[in-house]
Amino acid sequence: MITLDTVIYNDVVVMDLIIFVAWVTGALVLAKILAIYMKRSFSDRISKPELDKLLKVIQVMLILIAIYFGFPRIEVNLSEIILVGGTASLIIAFASQKLVSNFGSGLFLLIERPVKIGDNISIGDVSGNVEEIRILSTIIRTYEGIYIRVPNEKVFSSDITNYVANAARRFQYVIGISYRDDAEKAIGIISDLLEKHPYVLRHPEPSLFVSELAESSVNITVYIWAPSATWWSVKTEMLWKIKAALEENGIEIPFPQRVISFSGENLPDPGKTAYKAE
Amino acid sequence: MISTGRLFHIIFRKPRSWRHNYIFPASQFSFVFGEYDYSFRFESPEIVAGITKSGNFVVYERKSPDESVRKVIGSSAGKVIVNPVEPVNLPQEITRFLEIHFTPVVLAPESENQIYVKFPVEIAVFLESKGNYDVLDIFSLNRPKYALYGPPDQGVITRHFESEVFDDIPETDACREGVMELTIRNLTRGWIEVSRVVFENTGIYIYYGDCVSMVGQMDIFSKTNAETKTLACPLRQGMNPAIPLFTARKSLIPENLTFLMEFGVGE
């Protein structure tokens, strides 16, 4: 009859085998719980196929660790396995240095979250919207609609500009008006126009001031805060509206111009000329 | 002289069920929120909306100064529900937060005050059939304005509205504004000046009856921290609950969300 003390081989008894199986089962359950938790936490940060891959890798690693620590219980000698495995690991590590680097970078990107899916970013010389954040790479769709795959190592080590990471952002216009026109009136017209636009934020409020007495114009600088989600449409929409509103109110936006005065000494005297002609 | 607001009116013909509809007083509006069949019509100097028969189609059309909407409705068996909804949808939905700026109110330490403020109203046209709702259109007679609550890196974009403070339910132009009964509790041991309140708009409770209303609560923990929420109770008995948009859109958002104001309750 088989009891808990029944020897299976060497000093390994049935009880040892049960403990080993329970240990590995526990690891399986833990891996499952971890997968559920990670799915909840990361589902909005990473695409589903990539998340599934990541979860599988983590689950397998967890189970392998459990088996590794469980082996002594069933007297499996790991020294040879470690020796062979260690050597193999070194070879694999050298061979897949880039792969591991990208994988590690991918994990750090998920933790640090400098970019999210849908963000409007610039990495190095690549600008566009983040389509996917994969384990090894980040997919960007440029503004021209081109697919670009950037290795995560590059993403991680590059300067990242995220245009929509903050809730709101500021942009500016410099509007030049003629020296003959009233700058205060122009500021009032522009302010009224900005007030009517829903996405020109009330707080922080727009800032308008005469910033420069330039060669051809009096320059008014306009700082506008807009929601990051809509700033581009506001920027492209408002400039022409400002121009139209100013012109409608008789304020001129001048071309570059230069007033040339001639010195009186060098000019012929019109009176004398007329006298001589007589 | 009659106000511009009073000129706006909605004319709904042949309402299917008068039981759930409320007609605003004739002195104010010929105005009804509630359930209708496919022959309703909304008319104001700015916006005209309605459903018409066009051949075999039933067509919803709205004309506003800035846009025109035309939608073909695939079934003529449903009904139309017109309700006031959370005012964060126009021109497009970019935030979940409603911010009301009001005349500063100074609160004594550990005190509770009840004030009334106005909030903007957006009007939603829902289609309903067999218990399923869908949003057909949302429009408003208000000009929306947005703001940033908090710093750019941590704050949130809010639908911004400025209101006076009233000690009793103010008269409102129900097409444009609702009334919020706001209970402010100063839980600190110092005087606090309050001039703004921000609500998480998903899961707010709007009621309609003789006016559009909400009941809100604001607990102030310090000059920079307060918790806000709206309560699932009408301003007056007999008011009808409006359909929350998150229900109609079947969004998986928990009801009655509170919002923690972390960037101040004053200017």
Side-chain angles (χ1 to χ4, degrees), chain A residues 55-68:
Chain A
L55 290 177
K56 279 212 169 63
V57 169
I58 290 170
Q59 282 177 315
V60 168
M61 281 171 68
L62 203 67
I63 291 160
L64 285 176
I65 289 167
I67 290 170
Y68 175 82

Side-chain angles (χ1 to χ4, degrees), chain A residues 10-74:
Chain A
N10 296 342
D11 291 338
V12 178
V13 293
V14 172
M15 186 62 185
D16 292 326
L17 199 63
I18 290 171
I19 289 171
F20 176 76
V21 171
W23 176 252
V24 175
T25 309
L28 276 168
V29 172
L30 185 67
K32 197 76 186 166
I33 292 167
L34 192 70
I36 293 167
Y37 175 77
M38 284 188 69
K39 265 189 182 174
R40 282 183 190 163
S41 305
F42 290 95
S43 56
D44 60 334
R45 306 183 204 177
I46 187 166
S47 69
K48 194 179 175 303
E50 293 301 312
L51 184 60
D52 289 343
K53 278 181 210 164
L54 177 67
L55 290 177
K56 279 212 169 63
V57 169
I58 290 170
Q59 282 177 315
V60 168
M61 281 171 68
L62 203 67
I63 291 160
L64 285 176
I65 289 167
I67 290 170
Y68 175 82
F69 284 107
F71 269 166
R73 172 65 65 174
I74 54 172

Side-chain angles (χ1 to χ4, degrees), chain A residues 166-168 194-204 225 227 229-230, chain B residues 90-92 94 101 143-148 152-153 155-157 160 162:
Chain A
N166 293 341
L194 297 179
E195 174 59 29
K196 285 177 190 161
H197 197 290
Y199 295 134
V200 172
L201 297 181
R202 175 72 52 82
H203 300 289
W225 283 90
T230 58
Chain B
L90 300 171
Q92 55 177 291
I94 60 160
H101 261 245
R143 185 191 298 280
K145 193 73 181 168
Y146 289 82
L148 174 68
D153 57 333
V156 290
I157 298 293
H160 181 270
E162 285 175 9

Side-chain angles (χ1 to χ4, degrees), chain A residues 64 81-97 100:
Chain A
L64 285 176
I81 294 173
I82 288 168
L83 185 68
V84 175
T87 313
S89 299
L90 272 174
I91 294 164
I92 291 167
F94 275 114
S96 58
Q97 207 176 0
V100 173

Side-chain angles (χ1 to χ4, degrees), chain A residues 111-136:
Chain A
I111 294 163
E112 196 189 327
R113 295 191 71 189
V115 296
K116 297 194 298 293
I117 293 168
D119 279 0
N120 180 213
I121 62 160
S122 176
I123 300 171
D125 53 355
V126 177
S127 296
N129 295 311
V130 178
E131 290 281 289
E132 266 185 80
I133 302 169
R134 296 178 177 172
I135 295 298
L136 299 177

